[in-house]
Amino acid sequence: MILTFKINGEWVTQEIKPSLLLIDLIRDVLQLKGTKPGCLEGECGACSVIVNGDAINSCMYLAINVDGKEVTTIEGLENNENPLHQVQEKMLEHGAVQCGFCSPGMVMTTKAYSDKCIAEGITPTREEVKKSLEGNLCRCTGYAKIIDAAEAVYK
Amino acid sequence: MMKVIGKSHQKLDGKERVSGKAVYGHDIELPNMLHGSILRTKYPCAEIISIDTSKALSLDGVECIITANDVDVNNIGYKKDHPILKKGTVNCNRDEIAAVAARTKEIADKAIQLIEVEYKIKEGVYDPFEALKETTPRINEFGKGAEQFGNKNMAESFHYEHGNLEEQKAKSKVIIKKRYELPRVTHACIATSNITAEFNNFDGRLTLWSSTQVPFLYQRDIAHALKMEPSKIRVIQPIIGGGFGSKLDMHPFEPICALLAIKSGKPVQILYSREEEFIASPTRQPMVIELTTGCDENGKFTFREVEIIKDNGAYTSWGATTPFVMMQSYSSLYQVPACKFDSHAVYTNNPFAGSFRGYGNPQATFSIESNIDLMAEELGMSQAEIRLINANYKGEITGQGLHFKTCGAIPALKTVIEKSNYDKIMATPNTGRYRRGVGLGSMLHVGGGAKIYRSDGCGTTLKIDDYGYLTIVTGSNEIGQGSETVLAMIAMEELGIPKEKIKVINTDTDVKPWDVGVHASRTSFVAGNSLLGAIKLIKEKLSKKAIELLDVVTDDWEYANGMMRFNEFEIKLDKVVREMHFASPHELCMVNYFYEPPSKFQDKDFKGDVSGNYAFASQAIEVEVDTVTGNVRVLNVHVSQDVGRVLNPVGLQGQMEGGLATGIGYALTEEMIYEKGVLKNPSFHGYKMLTSTDMPDVHFYPIETYDEAGPYGSKGAGEAPLIPTAAAIANAVSNALGVRFYSLPITAEKVLRALASPTPPKEGLLREAKPVTKHQ
């Protein structure tokens, strides 16, 4: 079947099998390797991408569901003026990256959440920030620095 | 005054990692690359009657299939008791029977399903105590237990002792004997295991893109397995998505991938699924520890006697050597006049254990620190006081011969006791649904490498190019812990070259000099000292040329902002390098240096000063237990650690918080549940790792003791933060409830069962403990 969607700001049309997962479309077909496969069972969040403003696990999402929608992957955060998004800058400043395999997922989850909070004029509490990251596993950092970085986005 | 060391620096390649540009093993795609898949046994203990691969081979897209009958290889593992591909019998649920290389991963997985194996199922042995019985059959046919240890199912055995045990027992006012049971847990790296192999059949060279933590030992191990020359094997480490000890051993899937590449003549990649990662990657050693400890009427420790039965699983990995580390804690954590230690690793049909951050020490420390609380309770002494009067001290040479030239044990203990409001919490009445408790735990670990291999060294090559850029080629490895950043910081400090002009090359065995690997919290210590040695040499070269160019006599140069300065004389570093290159003596600005730590091999009785220095830490952990749900919530962690000297504060803090998270999981939630050798929870859904909402507030107080052996006085720090965590949490839960747990994890179910037991705990049982007296 034919799929038309916007990825990282560009409309693309792609022929796919109906069973194709979004993560496979992103990593294998479009060769965007920044989205990481951590578990392929919707538990670890390493493959998080943003679809129409919501962070989702791309391993649990059929590619056909993005038809007509806007998808942002970690590669979509880069532009000529700013090679890193503010969320990424904050993660580096706070030492929130160790092995880094969970980092793109952490960035996308934090970006989606902070975009919504900022749009609604809300500054979330630390507990709310923690809750927003609950679906993303990390084995290196103990989360503290990632939470610090996500909180710093509002400062 | 340090300009760089001691100040926080961002991770050297952090931008690549946070932007998704870093290339991990999962991201590698080579031209014509095939995908490999492994058929594992259906039963943990069985005879293989026949293997039929014909249907799988006829599947379109399958390029080759290998079984044990197709390959000429050696056994692998620490005891060489592990066939890469199994024939005759299978011994655990990880066992590899066949492997397929196909054009796509889907085809390879489908082909695996088409391989027909006929088994004769056997009754397995899943309990190490059962395995030790005379009547139990031999589990591993390559095991040498009968000859070496007098029992066919014994894989490895250690005995250690010091002091006069009987004399010390006679002196003891209190003797506590307890049995502790530790679970099987796993590393759960967020990136699953992976390897890509390519074989060049013109020159017989094999290239492996591997996540190993020990590339040079791995090169040797792969060569032995495949009957190749080690130097024909090039190991390239892509960015590694978590290690924690899991990649210390070479595992069967790695030579299997190489064999598929050799047979197919094409590059082959094997990526584990998350389920396969849980089933087929290593675990921490499960064990039963029987510990007897004593103290005199003043609370001074008298002796420790310990017997440990470790479930080795079906094959023997580096994990079998964890008693090296465990015996150090039994012999030398606090002052111990006499110690007797026996540890036996026993074959079973369970999956084999490997090495895991802490290397046996979390298990040992859990038992030691629990017994200490019990002795204090029996004596009516404060749990803080008993630790302080027995703590290690500067200048101590322990019964095992460990020499503590610096020692932050007492300052660390005092810090966490004070900062956690230990006395106040212990004196607060504790009733109602939610009970609060605080617990103490301390630890001792190697801080300056560990001489267990013939060399514990690390090589460094330095190059300053014609433009003043520095390349550090180090033997050491980056697995996310931040060693590259620390190395760059050392070079910035010493040579005044800015971070933007420093490159660290550390991923290719064809290029980098030898190093034993990333383990034993050794990298910043050993690679840092190696780099400092190389910097000394390159400074000599630079100084000689600068003296000639500026016509001054000095060896007291200041290196800053890419310049060399002495009084009013100054010259650009890159100019010195160019003059050296393009004029006399026509040399490149390059040096090599190899650092071997001053540590010693232990003798046959395991005595000797095995590490360049030693790390000490204490934790005071505050918990709240919900007596209705049984849930234990960790509220605050106070951790104080003798790190010698803080090199990169933000990196060090990250090691603390990360280690603690793993330690809390070990204490409360993580457990691989096996039934007759089969894993019942091979997913993140069933295996409970901490999430962001479970993480307590971490309060870290580094202790700087400036140990002369380490770079700028530093000590290894990476493993320590998780070592006393489970012990401190168990003590805290016990103090909250008045009931003690002798096994981990302390799940809600265990808490509720204990609270409902016929002898319910007395409220505030331990709250009568005396407050801590002041120590000078």
Side-chain angles (χ1 to χ4, degrees), chain B residues 610-687:
Chain B
V610 73
S611 182
N613 62 32
Y614 299 88
F616 303 85
S618 289
Q619 295 181 6
I621 300 186
E622 188 187 357
V623 301
E624 182 179 79
V625 188
D626 182 341
T627 55
V628 172
T629 64
N631 262 330
V632 178
R633 181 151 183 86
V634 179
L635 302 175
N636 278 293
V637 178
H638 297 268
V639 51
S640 185
Q641 186 170 323
D642 173 7
V643 296
R645 171 130 188 205
V646 178
L647 299 175
N648 184 10
V650 70
L652 181 62
Q653 180 90 22
Q655 288 297 301
M656 294 298 131
E657 291 159 352
L660 282 163
T662 307
I664 296 168
Y666 188 50
L668 297 177
T669 60
E670 294 183 32
E671 183 171 20
M672 305 180 86
I673 299 161
Y674 279 90
E675 280 175 21
K676 292 202 162 193
V678 177
L679 182 62
K680 294 294 174 185
N681 56 338
S683 73
F684 282 135
H685 183 68
Y687 184 88

Side-chain angles (χ1 to χ4, degrees), chain B residues 279-403:
Chain B
I279 291 170
S281 55
T283 70
R284 195 185 287 289
Q285 286 73 30
M287 58 182 76
V288 175
I289 299 173
E290 205 164 84
L291 176 64
T292 313
T293 62
C295 64
D296 68 15
E297 69 276 14
N298 300 317
K300 282 291 283 179
F301 296 162
T302 47
F303 76 95
R304 285 185 188 142
E305 188 174 13
V306 59
E307 180 144 354
I308 298 169
I309 298 295
K310 296 170 46 165
D311 184 346
N312 190 62
Y315 308 102
T316 313
S317 75
W318 274 109
T321 69
T322 47
F324 274 121
V325 174
M326 299 179 74
M327 70 172 74
Q328 278 168 29
S329 290
Y330 287 109
S331 76
S332 306
L333 172 59
Y334 303 96
Q335 303 158 45
V336 188
C339 175
K340 182 167 170 280
F341 171 97
D342 284 284
S343 162
H344 310 294
V346 182
Y347 286 117
T348 65
N349 292 110
N350 289 318
F352 52 98
S355 74
F356 193 166
R357 192 174 186 176
Y359 215 72
N361 211 348
Q363 296 97 311
T365 303
F366 173 62
S367 68
I368 292 168
E369 291 287 341
S370 296
N371 260 32
I372 291 174
D373 268 18
L374 287 164
M375 290 192 291
E377 190 183 320
E378 189 79 17
L379 269 180
M381 194 174 185
S382 141
Q383 295 163 347
E385 176 77 12
I386 197 169
R387 287 179 169 82
L388 283 165
I389 64 167
N390 287 288
N392 299 110
Y393 57 91
K394 183 181 172 179
E396 182 182 358
I397 298 174
T398 75
Q400 203 182 349
L402 314 183
H403 186 181

